[in-house]
Amino acid sequence: MNRSEQHLVLVGMMGVGKSTIGRALADRLDREMIDSDSIIEARTGRTVREIFADDGEPAFRALESDVLLEALSAPHPLVIAAAGGVVLSATNRAALCRPNARVVWLCADPATLLERVRHGVHRPLLDDDPAGTLQRMFVEREGLYREVADTIVLVDHRSVGEVVEAVLR
Ligand code: S3P
C-alpha cells in the first residue's frame, strides 16, 4: 500500500512526544489527528487519572483498544498518536501490523522520558518511583514496540521539526 493511503501511527513510551509530533505531522500532511488519551477523556467525560482510579487499568486498556481499532478502520488516512500501552494487547499489535498502517516507534532513552513526563497529569502509573517505573516499562515494552514498528525514529536531543523530518523521510 502507498504511504499516502496508510494511517501514520506513532507508538512509544509515555513522554516521548507522540501528541506533539503527531500534531505537527497532521499539519504537515493536512490530515486529521487522533490522540488516544484526549478522545478517551472526551468520550467518557472523565480524566485518564479518574478512569484508572475508579475503574482500574483493565477498563482503561479496553477504551484505549476501542479508540485504536476504530481509528485504524477509518476510510481516510489519519495521523494516530496511539496511547503508550497499546502494544500490550496482542489484538492491537495484530491490527498495527496490517498493511493499512505505517507504524513509527518514537524511541527515547528513559532518562529523556523522565525529564519530559514531569509536566503531565494523565500518567497515574508514574505516581510512585517514575524513574524506576519508566525503566521497567521500557524493558517490558521495547520488544513489543519493535514488533509493530515499520520505522524507528530516535528522538533524543532532536527538535520537533527534526523528528517530523525523520518520520517523513
Ligand atoms: C500510558 C500512557 C499514557 C496514558 C496512561 C497510560 C502507558 O499516555 O495513556 O497514563 O501505559 O504507557 P501517553 O503515552 O500519552 O503518555
Side-chain angles (χ1 to χ4, degrees), residues 10 16-26 33 35 81 106 160 164:
L10 303 178
V16 79
K18 298 181 294 289
S19 304
T20 306
I21 304 293
R23 269 192 299 275
L25 281 164
M33 134 96 163
D35 184 62
L106 299 180
V160 171
V164 165

Side-chain angles (χ1 to χ4, degrees), residues 13 61 84-85 87-88 137-145:
M13 292 277 293
R61 297 294 174 207
V87 292
L88 297 171
M137 279 184 170
F138 187 80
V139 170
E140 276 168 15
R141 295 182 182 178
E142 194 185 358
L144 303 177
Y145 290 131

Side-chain angles (χ1 to χ4, degrees), residues 69-91:
L69 300 179
E70 269 175 41
L72 288 173
S73 66
H76 51 290
L78 302 167
V79 173
I80 303 170
V86 287
V87 292
L88 297 171
S89 145
T91 306

Side-chain angles (χ1 to χ4, degrees), residues 39 55 74 85 106 109 116:
I39 290 184
D55 304 343
L106 299 180
D109 193 84
R116 294 187 183 181

